[in-house]
Amino acid sequence: MQIPACVNDSFPQNIYQTQQSIYQQLKAIDEKLLCIIAKDERHVATLATVKRFDTNMTLYYIPVRPLWHWMQCGQSQSLAELIISMFAYLEQVVGVPFYTEQDSYLASQYETLEQWVNDDQEDDACRDKQLDELYTMHNAGLKIYAQIINPQKLITFESVVQNFQPREKEQDWKLVADGFLQLYRQYPARSIFDNIHSALLYPQDADRIYADQYISFYWSGNDCFQDCLFEMIDNHFQEIAYMDEPAHVTLFDYPPESITADFDFETRLFDLINDLSRLLNRYDHEQCEPAI
C-alpha cells in the first residue's frame, strides 16, 4: 500500500484524510475490508481494519417442536438423543439462546403474543386453540431446556454421535451431527458471540439488532402463531440501522501478529444451523405433536 500524503496538516483533518486514503486503498483490494478509527474502553482512538461476516439478514431460528414429538415416541429415542446432544452443544458452547429463558428475545415476543391472546374476546374457539398452543409450547420448552443445559449431555455428545446408527431416511441427521461434532472438536470453547465487536463498530447509543435476536431456538415456524410472530419480528428489525454480525477486527495500536480474517467457524456453524433447521422443519407440523 502507498503511504498517504496529507494535503491538510491541521489536526484532526489530517487524521481523517489519512484514514480515508487508507480506506479507499483497502476497498480497492477487498470490498469487504474496512478501515475505521475505533474507540473503546481501552482506546481513545486507534486505527483498525474490519472485515464482516455476512449473515445475509437471515433469521437462524431452530424449531424444537419436532424434538418434543420424538422425545415422546419410543421408536425415535435414538434420534431424540442425537438432537438433544446437538442442541446441548449449541446452547452450552455456541451460546444459542432458548425461547423459555426469561431474558431471551423470543421469550419477550411470545409473552407479547400471550398478552394479545388473553386480551382477545372475539373468537373463543380460536382463542382456546391459541391458549392450548401456548401451554404446550411453554411446558414442552421447559422440559427440553432442562435436557439441553444438562452438562452431561455435552460430555456424552461425542459418544452419542459415534454410536448413532441411522435407519432409513436418517442419514442426513448423522451428517449434520458429524459436522457439529467436528466443529466442537476444532473449536471446543468457541461462541458465536466471540467475534461480535459492537462497542468498536457502532455509536454507543445506537439501537441495533443483536445476535441473540436473530439466532435462537424457538417453538415452531408452522403453528397458529407463525404469521404474527414473524410479522412482529420483521416490524421490529426493519426500523433498526445496525446489526451485530461476526467481524474480524485488527487494531493497529501495536503491530499485529496476523491480519488474516478467518471465518471458518462462522461459515461452518451457520451452514450447519441451516441444515439442522431444514431437517427439523420437515417434521414441524401438528400431526406429530403429542399431548403433554
Side-chain angles (χ1 to χ4, degrees), residues 258-277:
S258 173
I259 57 174
T260 302
D262 181 6
F263 290 119
D264 175 67
F265 173 79
E266 287 82 5
T267 300
R268 291 161 59 187
L269 174 67
F270 283 115
D271 285 346
L272 286 166
I273 289 177
N274 274 334
D275 291 342
L276 175 60
S277 298

Side-chain angles (χ1 to χ4, degrees), residues 3 5 18 22 32 64 89 100 104 112 119 129 151 183 260:
I3 299 176
T18 301
I22 296 172
K32 296 182 179 180
V64 306
Y89 163 66
T100 59
S104 68
T112 299
D119 292 341
K129 179 181 179 181
L183 197 64
T260 302

